[in-house]
Amino acid sequence: MPSVGVKIYSVFFKLLLRHRLQSLAAGEGGADAFGVSCRPDEATAPANPAFSAADGVASKDLHIDPNSALSVRVFLPTPPPHAHLLNQRRASEPAAGAAAAPYRGYLPHAVSSPRAAASARRRLPIVVQFHGGGFVTGSNSSASNDAFCRRVAKACDAIVVAVGYRLAPESRYPAAFDDGVRVLKWIAKQANLAMMSKVGGGVDTFGASTVEPWIAAHGDPARCVLLGVSCGANIADFVARKVVEDGKLFNPVKVVAQVLMYPFFIGSVPTHSEIRLANSYFYDKSTCILAWRLLLSEKEFSLDHPAANPLAPGRGGPPLKCMPPTLTIIAEHDWMRDRAIAYSEELRKVNVDAPVLDYKDTVHEFATLDVFLKTPQAQACAEDIAIWMKKYISLRGHEFSY
């Protein structure tokens, strides 16, 4: 069972969350096409384009859509061996360094040896991460999400693109889900612009203002993994289905796997866990239903909505057998666990690699909520995700397995 401290913290967390949702519902106005991707009362962590001494991960924020609040935070792990030499060079030549490096990361083309050049050109898989928060709170720049993404980038040796999708009720369904699709298309655009701009080993000025250098120089779009946390898992699964339906729209991005961490699934017919754990820790069922009411319009509200129930009758979409390998993370004391297990079982029935990792004495968001980030379960979860993910992102084959 969770500790007494966790139980007490959970009580206050639920009271505050319900108050916030009720305030949003009471102050709800008309639709806002631009939207918001972060609440002003939530603590955020600043981006740091320099490689952190603590974890060797750099990060920066990008506003990728001028017509909406959609943004991304990009995490780049572990500088190449020559990075400290380039930093020393920039320190001694500030004017040249400022012109050559608008970000305080490393320059992949400024190398002094073939070995350094090979290191600089190495391609990293791309993990597209969707944060939790019931579609109405949370952000890609929150302190807890920033720390989690850094942990994933380090453990998986991958570029992490954390999506700051638009929140409800300012932007109702399908805004957040469309934002997920839009980010994947943006990554595809970066990859295509990078290929078009290479001329004889140099870089042409065409598209230079829109090319994201970290992704263009070091990202491998053919090894893309979707990772969703809580409600973000619903978005990840939606994006995966869109890729399966029409992969040509996302070329050269290839989604090789997805990770669903305690997905925010629900349905009109209660499962055993939804009855037994309805008043469970941090996110009880009644509060989550209120979040769904803020996301879905009154006309389309249904607990069997395609965004809420992946196994709802008549859901449509591609056959489950076409879905990418799917790792599902669940918590012992989470009322949403049964429906996540059922979805995974349906995937396995059609021969999709879809294991379930069940963590004992844990609650919803046990690996991503700020109060749990330093717990052994949270650290083990990130390591387990990395082990499984490397089956599909390793260039050397499927040498990692349980």
Side-chain angles (χ1 to χ4, degrees), residues 375-389:
T375 63
Q377 293 97 326
Q379 296 174 16
C381 182
E383 293 170 2
D384 291 341
I385 289 173
I387 291 171
W388 182 83
M389 197 183 293

Side-chain angles (χ1 to χ4, degrees), residues 103-278:
Y103 304 106
R104 287 177 291 161
Y106 57 86
L107 289 174
H109 59 275
V111 296
S112 57
S113 69
R115 182 176 180 180
S119 174
R121 287 195 300 268
R122 72 182 185 126
R123 296 287 177 172
L124 301 177
I126 300 174
V127 177
V128 182
Q129 190 261 1
F130 303 94
H131 66 82
F135 300 109
V136 294
T137 65
S139 74
N140 63 336
S141 60
S142 69
S144 58
N145 198 71
D146 182 89
F148 173 72
C149 289
R150 287 178 173 277
R151 180 174 287 174
V152 171
K154 186 75 172 179
C156 299
D157 195 24
I159 294 174
V160 175
V161 179
V163 181
Y165 54 83
R166 287 170 290 172
L167 302 176
E170 292 86 352
S171 302
R172 290 185 180 270
Y173 178 87
F177 294 77
D178 289 344
D179 286 350
V181 173
R182 191 172 292 115
V183 166
L184 213 62
K185 290 182 177 179
W186 174 79
I187 294 173
K189 177 183 178 181
Q190 300 308 311
N192 287 322
L193 284 174
M195 289 188 288
M196 293 172 63
S197 63
K198 292 178 181 178
V199 180
V203 179
D204 187 68
T205 56
F206 174 77
S209 61
T210 58
V211 173
E212 204 303 294
W214 288 4
I215 292 178
H218 299 286
D220 183 357
R223 293 183 291 153
C224 181
V225 177
L226 306 179
L227 190 158
V229 175
S230 189
C231 67
N234 299 44
I235 300 175
D237 190 66
F238 175 89
V239 174
R241 289 172 183 260
K242 290 297 182 182
V243 173
V244 170
E245 286 177 350
D246 195 350
K248 293 181 180 179
L249 292 176
F250 303 90
N251 279 337
V253 172
K254 304 295 181 186
V255 175
V256 298
Q258 66 171 342
V259 179
L260 308 181
M261 300 181 68
Y262 20 82
F264 206 62
F265 296 155
I266 197 171
S268 59
V269 179
T271 65
H272 178 66
S273 65
E274 289 176 4
I275 297 172
R276 181 173 59 90
L277 299 169

